[in-house]
Amino acid sequence: MYEGVDTIWMDGEFVDFEDAQTHVLTHGLHYGTGVFEGVRCYDTADGPAIFRWEEHLERFYQSAKPYDMEIPFEPEEISEATVELIRREELDSCYIRPVAFYGYGPLGLNPGNSPVQVAIAVWPWGAYLGEEALEEGVDVAVSSWRKHASSQIPTNAKTTGAYVNSVLASLEAKGNGYTEAIVLNKEGNVAEGPGENIFLVRDGELYTTGLAESILDGITRQSVVDIAEDLGYTVHDDATISRGELYTADELFFTGTAAEVTPIRSVDDNEIGAGTKGPVTDEIQTTFFDILDDPPAAYEDWFHPV
Ligand SMILES: Cc1[nH+]cc(COP(=O)(O)O)c(CN[C@@H](CCC(=O)O)C(=O)O)c1O
């Protein structure tokens, strides 16, 4: 995955990949007290550009707040370091992973005396759910693991430790021969995927679960809502979707920085629609990738040049 990656930015310095280490008594390793972002840089017609960078950077700092975590760098410093790192790696497109965590200090739940460390890594990352997934769609299963509720962990924050919930759901799905999971919330309605938001198409209208369903407020989700509305679709972006509605949907698809727009062709072995990428999904996905390839003026503020 990291072939050819030489450098990582860590705590204000560019360091060699193999030197980007942390101590085994790092607070974040023991208690999951870290926050991160997943971002993509695309090789657009206007050159390499980071997609929705300002929104991702804002969410990075917001995610730290519930943990009293002061990220010891200004957004401008993180931004400059990220652009410089992409240039040093000579990548026209890449996945970008900023992470901030309570580092090496006295253990115990209170992280107060552990320093906050920050690192940024970039690497080429292709289709998250497999090369054929974007075209053919994926087979998914509803997980027996429920999404933790927003009353239990701030689901609008990308907390490293919270992702054990996603790991459990993803491991279960893959262990049972599916590509990905869909997780229900504690009410038993649809939340999202382990690392994706979810959209449902019914009678030509789009539905996506709202923040009250204990989901991450996905930036790709919001971008797809905007794109769909600009295409003239009615979008219900605060939907409650029952498990049964998954099976009777005309179309389903995931959205996410890593997943981009990935069609779902079956749920629990029930074919969705025609069992392949549906026409609305195809139009949304094609428009999404066209915007990434050659950003129209209307979307130019979605792109941060590298
Ligand atoms: C739980 C979850 N829900 C929705 C999304 C989509 O959010 P956005 O990227 O802002 O559209 C992601 C991103 N998942 C990231 C991490 C994936 C990983 O395996 O790590 C990502 O897509 O980068 C989630 O982790």
Side-chain angles (χ1 to χ4, degrees):
M1 173 175 258
Y2 307 116
E3 290 74 37
V5 177
D6 303 316
T7 308
I8 284 185
W9 184 88
M10 191 164 183
D11 298 329
E13 307 288 333
F14 291 98
V15 302
D16 289 341
F17 186 88
E18 56 278 358
D19 296 335
Q21 308 289 334
T22 190
H23 196 282
V24 289
L25 293 181
T26 287
H27 196 276
L29 177 63
H30 291 248
Y31 304 117
T33 46
V35 295
F36 71 100
E37 265 304 322
V39 198
R40 279 191 187 265
C41 173
Y42 285 96
D43 185 15
T44 78
D46 306 322
I50 305 173
F51 184 65
R52 309 298 306 264
W53 177 234
E54 287 69 24
E55 290 81 0
H56 280 282
L57 208 46
E58 165 74 12
R59 188 171 68 184
F60 186 50
Y61 282 80
Q62 292 286 76
S63 292
K65 287 186 175 173
Y67 306 101
D68 293 339
M69 184 185 289
E70 291 285 331
I71 294 177
F73 297 95
E74 292 303 314
E76 294 72 26
E77 293 177 282
I78 299 292
S79 200
E80 286 163 18
T82 300
V83 168
E84 173 62 21
L85 184 60
I86 294 170
R87 288 176 179 162
R88 286 187 181 212
E89 291 296 341
E90 298 178 340
L91 291 169
D92 292 331
S93 64
C94 62
Y95 184 82
I96 306 162
R97 175 54 59 91
V99 61
F101 56 94
Y102 281 108
Y104 169 58
L107 285 183
L109 292 177
N110 181 348
N113 299 317
S114 298
V116 176
Q117 292 190 255
V118 186
I120 307 166
V122 298
W123 67 87
W125 199 357
Y128 183 59
L129 296 175
E131 284 310 316
E132 68 288 345
L134 292 173
E135 195 47 45
E136 307 300 324
V138 291
D139 299 314
V140 308
V142 173
S143 181
S144 66
W145 293 102
R146 292 283 175 89
K147 177 83 184 193
H148 46 257
S150 52
S151 58
Q152 296 162 333
I153 292 185
T155 46
N156 59 335
K158 285 180 72 74
T159 312
T160 53
Y163 277 80
V164 292
N165 179 246
S166 297
V167 169
L168 287 166
S170 206
L171 278 175
E172 179 189 50
K174 289 175 172 66
N176 291 329
Y178 299 94
T179 301
E180 190 54 294
I182 290 176
V183 283
L184 306 181
N185 55 32
K186 73 177 172 53
E187 292 75 26
N189 292 313
V190 174
E192 54 185 340
E196 311 91 352
N197 291 111
I198 191 165
F199 281 75
L200 179 151
V201 180
R202 183 170 57 229
D203 301 333
E205 297 192 2
L206 283 87
Y207 300 77
T208 189
T209 45
L211 300 191
E213 306 301 326
S214 294
I215 65 161
L216 180 75
D217 184 4
I219 292 166
T220 315
R221 170 187 176 277
Q222 188 51 58
S223 306
V224 164
V225 168
D226 292 347
I227 289 169
E229 288 178 341
D230 291 349
L231 288 171
Y233 287 102
T234 298
V235 184
H236 307 271
D237 67 356
D238 197 18
T240 295
I241 298 174
S242 70
R243 179 174 185 166
E245 288 176 282
L246 292 174
Y247 299 138
T248 57
D250 297 329
E251 302 177 40
L252 292 172
F253 60 90
F254 282 134
T255 64
T257 295
E260 297 171 310
V261 177
T262 299
I264 296 168
R265 66 183 180 197
S266 76
V267 181
D268 297 335
D269 302 320
N270 296 285
E271 219 172 63
I272 303 302
T276 185
K277 177 164 61 173
V280 176
T281 307
D282 186 37
E283 184 179 12
I284 300 285
Q285 185 195 65
T286 301
T287 307
F288 178 74
F289 284 123
D290 286 350
I291 289 169
L292 297 175
D293 287 341
D294 190 1
Y299 296 103
E300 68 181 356
D301 63 350
W302 283 7
F303 295 86
H304 182 99
V306 169

